Amino acid sequence: MARGFALKIGAVLAGLVLIWPLAVHDDAGAWGFFGHKRINRMACFTLPPAMFGFYKRHIDFISDHAPDPDRRRYAVPEEAARHYIDIDHYVKPGEDPFTVVPRTWDMAVAKFTEDTLQAYGIVPWHIPVVYGRLVRAFQRGDVDRILYYSAELGHYVGDAHVPLHTTENYNGQLTNQHGIHAFWESRIPELSADAHYDHLVGRATYMDDPLGAAWAAVQASHMAVDSVLGIERMLNERFPDDRKYVFEDRGRGVMRFQSQEFTKAYEDAMGGMVERRMNASIITLGSFWYSAWVDAGQPDLDRFELQDVSDSLKMILAAEEEALKMARESLGRPEPNE
């Protein structure tokens, strides 16, 4: 791995245990660790043969490091805003936020200021940034960067497909539905995905507009917000607490979760929305990876097959995880969705 990449990532570690800002979307690590890992893993199977061998060889790394941006959210000040966009903040009732908010970064900054955009989330603008880094990694044949940015891109693409990552009411806190975020994106797939979800989503396709694809994901997610909240609110009226909740041992102690009965009723009422949004994440991510490879000139990935993740990157990521663990323990903050 290039020394500059090691220094750039390693520099993040210097202040991790000294800073711990409260993020706006503090309750929400989209899809949970389970879901993010699953999206990255399944996206590998959408790739064409010229890419599949390389990604299959490194599938565990790409999957295992899918949650890394969530691990950083509370320690790196600029990280939190990359996971969401409160698109409804910018409009009055009845207005279409996707005509009010400019799609390009420069035009949005000119209209609302960069501070405002950072305060209410930048995920559709950050996805093309990471995409560009992945293109350059393919061009250089840099295995560390290819794997690092492939995993990172998967996280942000997954976040853009979560409806509650597109609204100020991201955890139902404005409608007395606190906790719906982790319920929708973590509890449901953890209970249902292995047994019921079909992730055969087809082959990745080339996308010539990464920014447009990011915005399309956000817009499709936002269209589902009313259903996500409204259906849960309706079911709340039918389920008493003793049927809605169960208590489970999660290592650190007994925690309260939505029951399997309530979860199934919610999924059924939504018509499989969680599975659809997860599958949309998978095919979109595979298409981003494929498009980055094409834009890089379709380098021969077979010549990278003998290269593994460098020891330097492994050490950096291990040190980052240890620093974040120390920061969490020193302030008593639990890992989101752990």
Side-chain angles (χ1 to χ4, degrees):
M1 183 181 66
R3 176 177 173 82
F5 188 49
L7 291 174
K8 183 176 181 180
I9 299 179
V12 173
L13 303 178
L16 286 182
V17 298
L18 301 177
I19 53 174
W20 199 269
L22 182 64
V24 175
H25 282 216
D26 185 48
D27 300 69
W31 290 120
F33 285 11
F34 170 88
H36 274 301
K37 289 180 178 181
R38 192 180 192 91
I39 289 167
N40 276 23
R41 177 172 290 271
M42 296 309 300
C44 294
F45 295 94
T46 70
L47 297 174
M51 298 182 70
F52 180 70
F54 176 82
Y55 274 80
K56 181 65 167 61
R57 171 179 167 82
H58 299 291
I59 194 169
D60 288 338
F61 180 94
I62 291 169
S63 303
D64 290 345
H65 290 280
D68 283 1
D70 273 341
R71 295 186 175 110
R72 293 196 302 265
R73 286 188 310 128
Y74 303 101
V76 179
E78 63 271 18
E79 180 62 44
R82 300 168 179 168
H83 296 244
Y84 64 91
I85 179 169
D86 294 340
I87 193 72
D88 48 12
H89 167 78
Y90 297 97
V91 295
K92 300 174 183 177
E95 291 183 326
D96 179 5
F98 296 96
T99 60
V100 172
V101 179
R103 291 200 168 193
T104 65
W105 176 255
D106 288 344
M107 292 180 65
V109 168
K111 187 171 184 177
F112 296 112
T113 77
E114 182 169 351
D115 286 346
T116 300
L117 299 182
Q118 292 288 346
Y120 294 98
I122 62 170
V123 67
W125 295 296
H126 188 62
I127 287 172
V129 171
V130 182
Y131 176 85
R133 293 169 182 167
L134 180 58
V135 171
R136 291 188 290 275
F138 276 125
Q139 290 171 334
R140 289 191 293 262
D142 187 327
V143 171
D144 280 359
R145 283 184 169 88
I146 292 170
L147 298 178
Y148 181 84
Y149 290 127
S150 291
E152 296 272 303
L153 185 59
H155 189 102
Y156 301 118
V157 168
D159 283 359
H161 284 80
V162 174
L164 292 170
H165 271 239
T166 69
T167 175
E168 285 192 288
N169 194 21
Y170 62 90
N171 199 26
Q173 76 280 6
L174 303 180
T175 50
N176 197 30
Q177 295 173 276
H178 189 86
I180 191 174
H181 201 135
F183 177 37
W184 192 95
E185 65 190 17
S186 295
R187 179 68 169 169
I188 290 175
E190 286 171 7
L191 288 179
S192 301
D194 284 339
H196 303 296
Y197 289 4
D198 180 0
H199 295 311
L200 296 178
V201 295
R203 289 292 184 186
T205 58
Y206 179 75
M207 50 178 64
D208 58 6
D209 182 8
L211 177 63
W215 274 107
V218 169
Q219 186 165 3
S221 293
H222 190 67
M223 290 177 64
V225 169
D226 287 345
S227 295
V228 169
L229 295 167
I231 292 171
E232 199 268 353
R233 188 164 49 246
M234 175 193 69
L235 289 175
N236 268 328
E237 298 175 357
R238 293 167 35 192
F239 277 77
D241 280 0
D242 63 346
R243 289 177 57 205
K244 180 178 178 180
Y245 294 107
V246 295
F247 292 90
E248 298 179 2
D249 187 351
R250 284 297 178 103
R252 294 183 176 181
V254 176
M255 300 178 65
R256 189 176 77 158
F257 294 95
Q258 288 82 0
S259 68
Q260 292 192 30
E261 180 188 8
F262 184 76
T263 301
K264 184 178 186 305
Y266 186 40
E267 272 209 281
D268 289 348
M270 289 191 296
M273 182 196 297
V274 176
E275 180 183 7
R276 290 197 306 274
R277 296 311 292 155
M278 182 173 280
N279 282 347
S281 300
I282 290 166
I283 189 62
T284 301
L285 174 58
S287 296
F288 267 114
W289 288 344
Y290 172 62
S291 302
W293 175 72
V294 171
D295 286 350
Q298 303 183 39
D300 181 6
L301 299 186
D302 288 343
R303 62 190 176 92
F304 304 152
E305 278 299 290
L306 297 180
Q307 298 184 48
D308 202 349
V309 182
S310 72
D311 290 339
S312 297
L313 181 56
K314 291 177 182 177
M315 290 174 62
I316 287 168
L317 294 174
E320 182 183 61
E321 177 62 22
E322 183 61 26
L324 291 169
K325 180 180 178 182
M326 291 171 59
R328 289 195 299 269
E329 291 176 349
S330 67
L331 294 175
R333 188 183 201 93
E335 186 71 62
N337 297 313
E338 188 173 82

Coordinates of all heavy atoms in Angstrom, one line a residue, residues 51-115:
M51 N -14.6 -9.2 -13.1 CA -14.4 -8.6 -11.8 C -14.7 -9.6 -10.7 O -14.2 -9.4 -9.6 CB -15.4 -7.4 -11.7 CG -15.2 -6.3 -12.6 SD -16.4 -5.0 -12.3 CE -15.7 -4.3 -10.8
F52 N -15.5 -10.6 -11.0 CA -16.0 -11.5 -9.9 C -14.9 -12.2 -9.1 O -14.9 -12.3 -7.9 CB -17.0 -12.5 -10.4 CG -17.5 -13.4 -9.3 CD1 -18.4 -12.9 -8.3 CD2 -17.2 -14.7 -9.3 CE1 -18.8 -13.8 -7.3 CE2 -17.6 -15.6 -8.3 CZ -18.5 -15.1 -7.3
G53 N -13.9 -12.7 -9.9 CA -12.8 -13.4 -9.2 C -12.1 -12.6 -8.2 O -11.8 -13.1 -7.1
F54 N -11.8 -11.4 -8.5 CA -11.1 -10.5 -7.6 C -12.0 -10.2 -6.4 O -11.5 -10.3 -5.2 CB -10.7 -9.2 -8.3 CG -10.1 -8.1 -7.4 CD1 -8.8 -8.2 -7.1 CD2 -10.9 -7.1 -6.9 CE1 -8.2 -7.2 -6.3 CE2 -10.3 -6.1 -6.1 CZ -9.0 -6.2 -5.8
Y55 N -13.2 -9.8 -6.6 CA -14.1 -9.5 -5.5 C -14.4 -10.7 -4.7 O -14.6 -10.6 -3.4 CB -15.4 -8.8 -6.0 CG -15.2 -7.3 -6.2 CD1 -14.6 -6.8 -7.3 CD2 -15.7 -6.5 -5.2 CE1 -14.4 -5.4 -7.4 CE2 -15.5 -5.1 -5.3 CZ -14.9 -4.6 -6.5 OH -14.7 -3.2 -6.6
K56 N -14.6 -11.9 -5.3 CA -14.8 -13.1 -4.5 C -13.6 -13.5 -3.6 O -13.8 -13.9 -2.5 CB -15.1 -14.3 -5.5 CG -15.4 -15.6 -4.8 CD -16.7 -15.5 -4.0 CE -17.2 -16.9 -3.6 NZ -16.2 -17.6 -2.7
R57 N -12.4 -13.2 -4.1 CA -11.2 -13.5 -3.3 C -11.2 -12.6 -2.1 O -10.8 -13.1 -1.0 CB -10.0 -13.2 -4.2 CG -8.7 -13.2 -3.4 CD -7.5 -13.0 -4.3 NE -6.3 -12.7 -3.6 CZ -5.5 -13.6 -3.1 NH1 -5.8 -14.9 -3.2 NH2 -4.4 -13.3 -2.5
H58 N -11.7 -11.4 -2.2 CA -11.7 -10.5 -1.1 C -13.1 -10.2 -0.4 O -13.3 -9.2 0.3 CB -11.1 -9.1 -1.6 CG -9.7 -9.2 -2.1 ND1 -8.6 -9.5 -1.3 CD2 -9.3 -9.2 -3.4 CE1 -7.5 -9.6 -2.1 NE2 -7.9 -9.3 -3.3
I59 N -14.0 -11.1 -0.6 CA -15.4 -10.9 -0.2 C -15.5 -10.7 1.3 O -16.3 -9.9 1.8 CB -16.3 -12.0 -0.7 CG1 -17.8 -11.6 -0.6 CG2 -16.0 -13.4 0.0 CD1 -18.7 -12.6 -1.3
D60 N -14.7 -11.4 2.1 CA -14.7 -11.3 3.5 C -14.3 -9.9 4.0 O -14.9 -9.3 4.9 CB -13.9 -12.4 4.2 CG -14.5 -13.8 4.1 OD1 -15.7 -13.8 3.9 OD2 -13.8 -14.8 4.2
F61 N -13.2 -9.4 3.4 CA -12.8 -8.1 3.7 C -13.8 -7.0 3.4 O -14.2 -6.2 4.2 CB -11.5 -7.7 3.0 CG -11.0 -6.3 3.3 CD1 -10.0 -6.2 4.3 CD2 -11.4 -5.2 2.6 CE1 -9.5 -4.9 4.7 CE2 -10.9 -3.9 3.0 CZ -10.0 -3.8 4.0
I62 N -14.4 -7.1 2.2 CA -15.4 -6.1 1.7 C -16.6 -6.2 2.6 O -17.2 -5.2 2.9 CB -15.7 -6.4 0.2 CG1 -14.5 -6.0 -0.6 CG2 -16.9 -5.6 -0.2 CD1 -14.6 -6.5 -2.1
S63 N -17.0 -7.4 3.0 CA -18.2 -7.6 3.9 C -17.9 -7.1 5.3 O -18.6 -6.4 5.9 CB -18.6 -9.0 3.9 OG -18.9 -9.5 2.6
D64 N -16.7 -7.6 5.9 CA -16.4 -7.3 7.3 C -16.2 -5.8 7.5 O -16.5 -5.3 8.6 CB -15.1 -8.0 7.7 CG -15.4 -9.5 7.8 OD1 -16.5 -9.9 7.8 OD2 -14.4 -10.3 7.8
H65 N -15.8 -5.0 6.5 CA -15.5 -3.6 6.7 C -16.6 -2.7 6.2 O -16.5 -1.5 6.2 CB -14.2 -3.2 6.1 CG -13.0 -3.8 6.8 ND1 -12.5 -3.3 7.9 CD2 -12.3 -5.0 6.6 CE1 -11.5 -4.0 8.4 NE2 -11.4 -5.0 7.6
A66 N -17.8 -3.3 5.8 CA -18.9 -2.5 5.4 C -19.4 -1.6 6.5 O -19.8 -0.5 6.3 CB -20.1 -3.5 5.0
P67 N -19.4 -2.0 7.8 CA -19.9 -1.1 8.9 C -18.9 -0.1 9.3 O -19.2 0.7 10.2 CB -20.2 -2.1 10.0 CG -20.1 -3.5 9.5 CD -19.2 -3.4 8.3
D68 N -17.7 0.0 8.8 CA -16.6 0.9 9.3 C -17.1 2.3 9.4 O -16.8 3.0 10.4 CB -15.4 0.8 8.5 CG -14.6 -0.5 8.8 OD1 -15.0 -1.3 9.6 OD2 -13.5 -0.7 8.2
P69 N -17.8 2.9 8.4 CA -18.2 4.3 8.5 C -19.1 4.5 9.8 O -19.0 5.6 10.4 CB -18.9 4.6 7.2 CG -18.3 3.7 6.2 CD -18.0 2.4 7.0
D70 N -19.9 3.5 10.1 CA -20.8 3.7 11.3 C -19.9 3.7 12.6 O -20.2 4.4 13.5 CB -21.8 2.6 11.4 CG -23.1 2.9 10.7 OD1 -23.3 4.1 10.4 OD2 -23.8 2.0 10.4
R71 N -18.8 2.9 12.5 CA -17.9 2.8 13.7 C -17.2 4.2 13.9 O -16.9 4.5 15.0 CB -16.9 1.8 13.5 CG -17.5 0.3 13.5 CD -16.3 -0.7 13.5 NE -16.8 -2.1 13.5 CZ -16.8 -2.9 12.5 NH1 -16.3 -2.6 11.4 NH2 -17.3 -4.2 12.7
R72 N -17.1 4.9 12.8 CA -16.4 6.2 12.9 C -17.3 7.4 13.2 O -16.8 8.5 13.5 CB -15.7 6.6 11.6 CG -14.6 5.7 11.2 CD -13.8 6.3 10.1 NE -14.6 6.6 8.9 CZ -14.7 5.8 7.8 NH1 -14.1 4.6 7.8 NH2 -15.4 6.2 6.8
R73 N -18.6 7.2 13.1 CA -19.6 8.3 13.1 C -19.4 9.2 14.4 O -19.7 10.4 14.3 CB -21.0 7.8 13.0 CG -21.4 7.4 11.6 CD -22.9 7.1 11.5 NE -23.3 6.2 12.6 CZ -24.4 6.5 13.4 NH1 -25.0 7.6 13.2 NH2 -24.7 5.7 14.3
Y74 N -19.1 8.6 15.5 CA -19.1 9.3 16.7 C -17.7 9.8 17.1 O -17.5 10.4 18.1 CB -19.6 8.4 17.9 CG -21.0 7.9 17.6 CD1 -21.2 6.6 17.1 CD2 -22.1 8.8 17.7 CE1 -22.5 6.2 16.8 CE2 -23.4 8.4 17.4 CZ -23.6 7.1 16.9 OH -24.8 6.6 16.6
A75 N -16.7 9.5 16.2 CA -15.4 9.9 16.5 C -14.8 10.9 15.5 O -13.8 11.6 15.8 CB -14.5 8.7 16.7
V76 N -15.3 10.9 14.3 CA -14.8 11.8 13.3 C -15.9 12.8 13.0 O -16.9 12.5 12.5 CB -14.5 10.9 12.0 CG1 -14.0 11.9 10.9 CG2 -13.5 9.9 12.3
P77 N -15.6 14.1 13.3 CA -16.6 15.1 13.2 C -17.4 15.2 11.9 O -18.6 15.3 11.9 CB -15.9 16.4 13.5 CG -14.7 16.0 14.3 CD -14.3 14.6 13.7
E78 N -16.7 15.0 10.8 CA -17.4 15.2 9.5 C -18.1 13.9 9.0 O -18.7 14.0 8.0 CB -16.3 15.6 8.4 CG -15.2 14.7 8.1 CD -14.0 14.8 9.1 OE1 -14.1 15.5 10.1 OE2 -12.9 14.3 8.7
E79 N -18.0 12.8 9.7 CA -18.5 11.6 9.2 C -20.0 11.5 9.2 O -20.6 11.0 8.3 CB -17.9 10.4 10.0 CG -18.4 9.0 9.6 CD -18.0 8.7 8.2 OE1 -16.8 8.9 7.8 OE2 -18.9 8.2 7.4
A80 N -20.6 12.0 10.3 CA -22.1 11.7 10.5 C -22.9 12.2 9.3 O -23.8 11.5 8.9 CB -22.5 12.4 11.8
A81 N -22.6 13.4 8.8 CA -23.4 14.0 7.7 C -23.4 13.1 6.4 O -24.3 13.3 5.5 CB -22.9 15.4 7.4
R82 N -22.4 12.3 6.3 CA -22.3 11.5 5.0 C -23.3 10.4 4.9 O -23.4 9.7 3.9 CB -20.9 10.9 4.9 CG -19.8 11.9 4.9 CD -18.4 11.3 5.2 NE -17.3 12.3 5.1 CZ -16.1 12.0 5.5 NH1 -15.8 10.8 6.0 NH2 -15.2 12.9 5.5
H83 N -24.1 10.1 6.0 CA -24.9 8.9 6.0 C -26.4 9.2 5.7 O -27.2 8.3 5.6 CB -24.9 8.3 7.4 CG -23.5 7.8 7.8 ND1 -23.2 6.4 8.0 CD2 -22.3 8.4 8.0 CE1 -22.0 6.3 8.3 NE2 -21.4 7.5 8.3
Y84 N -26.8 10.4 5.5 CA -28.2 10.8 5.4 C -28.4 12.1 4.7 O -27.4 12.8 4.5 CB -28.9 10.8 6.8 CG -28.3 11.9 7.7 CD1 -28.9 13.1 7.7 CD2 -27.2 11.7 8.5 CE1 -28.4 14.2 8.5 CE2 -26.7 12.7 9.3 CZ -27.3 13.9 9.3 OH -26.8 14.9 10.1
I85 N -29.6 12.4 4.4 CA -30.0 13.8 4.0 C -31.4 14.0 4.5 O -32.3 13.3 4.1 CB -29.9 14.1 2.5 CG1 -30.3 15.5 2.2 CG2 -30.6 13.0 1.7 CD1 -29.9 15.9 0.7
D86 N -31.6 15.0 5.3 CA -33.0 15.4 5.8 C -33.6 16.3 4.7 O -33.7 17.5 4.8 CB -32.9 16.2 7.1 CG -32.4 15.3 8.2 OD1 -32.4 14.1 8.1 OD2 -31.9 15.9 9.2
I87 N -34.0 15.7 3.6 CA -34.4 16.4 2.4 C -35.7 17.2 2.7 O -35.9 18.3 2.1 CB -34.6 15.4 1.2 CG1 -34.8 16.2 -0.1 CG2 -35.8 14.5 1.5 CD1 -33.5 16.8 -0.6
D88 N -36.5 16.8 3.6 CA -37.7 17.5 3.9 C -37.5 18.8 4.7 O -38.4 19.6 4.9 CB -38.8 16.6 4.6 CG -38.2 15.8 5.8 OD1 -37.1 16.1 6.2 OD2 -38.9 14.9 6.3
H89 N -36.3 18.9 5.2 CA -36.0 20.2 6.0 C -36.1 21.4 5.1 O -36.4 22.5 5.5 CB -34.6 20.1 6.5 CG -34.0 21.4 7.0 ND1 -34.4 22.0 8.2 CD2 -33.2 22.3 6.4 CE1 -33.8 23.2 8.4 NE2 -33.1 23.4 7.3
Y90 N -35.9 21.2 3.8 CA -35.7 22.4 2.9 C -37.0 22.9 2.3 O -37.0 23.8 1.5 CB -34.8 22.0 1.7 CG -33.4 21.7 2.2 CD1 -33.0 20.3 2.4 CD2 -32.5 22.7 2.5 CE1 -31.7 20.0 2.9 CE2 -31.2 22.4 2.9 CZ -30.8 21.1 3.1 OH -29.5 20.8 3.6
V91 N -38.1 22.2 2.6 CA -39.4 22.6 2.0 C -40.5 22.8 3.0 O -40.5 22.4 4.1 CB -39.8 21.5 1.0 CG1 -38.8 21.3 -0.1 CG2 -40.0 20.1 1.7
K92 N -41.5 23.5 2.5 CA -42.8 23.7 3.2 C -43.7 22.5 2.8 O -43.5 21.9 1.8 CB -43.4 25.0 2.9 CG -42.6 26.2 3.2 CD -43.2 27.5 2.7 CE -42.3 28.7 2.9 NZ -42.9 30.0 2.4
P93 N -44.7 22.3 3.6 CA -45.7 21.2 3.3 C -46.2 21.4 1.9 O -46.6 22.5 1.5 CB -46.8 21.3 4.4 CG -46.1 21.9 5.6 CD -45.0 22.9 5.0
G94 N -46.2 20.3 1.2 CA -46.8 20.3 -0.2 C -45.8 20.5 -1.3 O -46.0 20.3 -2.5
E95 N -44.6 21.0 -0.9 CA -43.5 21.3 -1.9 C -42.7 20.0 -2.2 O -42.6 19.1 -1.3 CB -42.6 22.4 -1.4 CG -43.1 23.7 -1.4 CD -42.1 24.8 -0.9 OE1 -41.2 24.5 -0.1 OE2 -42.2 25.9 -1.4
D96 N -42.2 19.9 -3.4 CA -41.4 18.7 -3.7 C -39.9 19.1 -3.4 O -39.3 19.9 -4.1 CB -41.5 18.4 -5.2 CG -40.7 17.3 -5.7 OD1 -40.0 16.6 -4.8 OD2 -40.7 17.0 -6.9
P97 N -39.3 18.4 -2.5 CA -37.9 18.7 -2.1 C -36.9 18.4 -3.2 O -35.9 19.0 -3.3 CB -37.6 17.8 -0.9 CG -38.6 16.7 -1.0 CD -39.8 17.3 -1.6
F98 N -37.3 17.5 -4.2 CA -36.4 17.2 -5.2 C -36.4 18.2 -6.4 O -35.6 18.0 -7.3 CB -36.7 15.7 -5.7 CG -36.4 14.7 -4.6 CD1 -37.5 14.3 -3.8 CD2 -35.2 14.3 -4.3 CE1 -37.3 13.4 -2.7 CE2 -34.9 13.4 -3.2 CZ -36.0 13.0 -2.5
T99 N -37.3 19.1 -6.3 CA -37.2 20.2 -7.2 C -36.6 21.5 -6.5 O -36.1 22.4 -7.2 CB -38.6 20.6 -7.8 OG1 -39.5 20.9 -6.8 CG2 -39.1 19.4 -8.6
V100 N -36.7 21.5 -5.2 CA -36.2 22.7 -4.4 C -34.7 22.6 -4.2 O -34.0 23.6 -4.3 CB -37.0 22.8 -3.1 CG1 -36.3 23.8 -2.2 CG2 -38.4 23.1 -3.3
V101 N -34.2 21.4 -3.9 CA -32.8 21.2 -3.6 C -32.0 20.9 -4.9 O -32.3 19.9 -5.5 CB -32.6 20.0 -2.6 CG1 -31.1 19.8 -2.3 CG2 -33.4 20.3 -1.3
P102 N -31.1 21.7 -5.2 CA -30.3 21.4 -6.4 C -29.5 20.1 -6.3 O -29.0 19.8 -5.2 CB -29.3 22.6 -6.5 CG -30.0 23.7 -5.7 CD -30.7 23.0 -4.6
R103 N -29.3 19.5 -7.4 CA -28.6 18.2 -7.3 C -27.1 18.4 -7.3 O -26.4 17.5 -6.7 CB -29.0 17.3 -8.5 CG -30.4 16.8 -8.5 CD -30.6 15.6 -9.4 NE -31.9 15.0 -9.1 CZ -32.3 13.8 -9.5 NH1 -31.5 13.1 -10.2 NH2 -33.5 13.4 -9.2
T104 N -26.5 19.4 -7.9 CA -25.1 19.5 -7.9 C -24.7 20.2 -6.6 O -25.4 21.1 -6.0 CB -24.6 20.4 -9.1 OG1 -25.1 21.7 -9.0 CG2 -25.0 19.7 -10.4
W105 N -23.5 19.9 -6.1 CA -23.0 20.4 -4.8 C -22.9 21.9 -4.9 O -23.3 22.6 -4.0 CB -21.7 19.7 -4.5 CG -21.0 20.3 -3.2 CD1 -20.0 21.1 -3.2 CD2 -21.5 20.0 -1.9 NE1 -19.6 21.4 -1.8 CE2 -20.6 20.7 -1.0 CE3 -22.5 19.3 -1.3 CZ2 -20.6 20.7 0.4 CZ3 -22.6 19.3 0.1 CH2 -21.7 20.0 0.9
D106 N -22.2 22.4 -5.9 CA -22.0 23.9 -6.0 C -23.3 24.7 -6.0 O -23.3 25.7 -5.3 CB -21.1 24.2 -7.2 CG -19.7 23.7 -7.1 OD1 -19.3 23.4 -6.0 OD2 -19.0 23.6 -8.2
M107 N -24.2 24.2 -6.7 CA -25.5 24.9 -6.8 C -26.2 24.9 -5.4 O -26.9 25.8 -5.0 CB -26.4 24.4 -7.9 CG -25.9 24.7 -9.3 SD -27.0 24.1 -10.6 CE -28.4 25.1 -10.3
A108 N -26.1 23.7 -4.8 CA -26.8 23.6 -3.4 C -26.1 24.4 -2.4 O -26.8 25.1 -1.6 CB -26.7 22.1 -3.0
V109 N -24.8 24.5 -2.5 CA -24.0 25.4 -1.5 C -24.4 26.9 -1.8 O -24.7 27.6 -0.8 CB -22.5 25.2 -1.7 CG1 -21.8 26.3 -1.0 CG2 -22.1 23.8 -1.2
A110 N -24.5 27.2 -3.0 CA -24.9 28.6 -3.4 C -26.3 29.0 -2.8 O -26.5 30.1 -2.4 CB -24.8 28.8 -4.9
K111 N -27.2 28.0 -2.8 CA -28.5 28.2 -2.4 C -28.7 28.2 -0.9 O -29.5 29.0 -0.3 CB -29.5 27.2 -3.1 CG -31.0 27.5 -2.9 CD -31.8 26.6 -3.8 CE -33.3 27.0 -3.6 NZ -34.2 26.2 -4.5
F112 N -28.0 27.2 -0.3 CA -28.3 27.0 1.2 C -27.1 27.2 2.1 O -27.3 27.2 3.3 CB -28.8 25.5 1.3 CG -30.1 25.3 0.7 CD1 -30.2 24.4 -0.4 CD2 -31.3 25.9 1.1 CE1 -31.4 24.2 -1.0 CE2 -32.5 25.6 0.5 CZ -32.6 24.8 -0.6
T113 N -25.9 27.3 1.6 CA -24.6 27.4 2.3 C -24.1 26.0 2.7 O -24.9 25.1 3.0 CB -24.6 28.2 3.6 OG1 -25.3 27.5 4.7 CG2 -25.3 29.6 3.4
E114 N -22.8 25.8 2.7 CA -22.2 24.5 3.0 C -22.6 24.1 4.5 O -22.8 22.9 4.7 CB -20.7 24.5 2.8 CG -20.1 23.2 3.0 CD -18.6 23.1 2.6 OE1 -18.2 24.1 1.9 OE2 -18.0 22.1 2.9
D115 N -22.6 25.0 5.4 CA -22.9 24.7 6.8 C -24.2 24.1 6.9 O -24.4 23.1 7.7 CB -22.8 25.9 7.7 CG -21.3 26.4 7.9 OD1 -20.4 25.6 7.6 OD2 -21.1 27.5 8.4

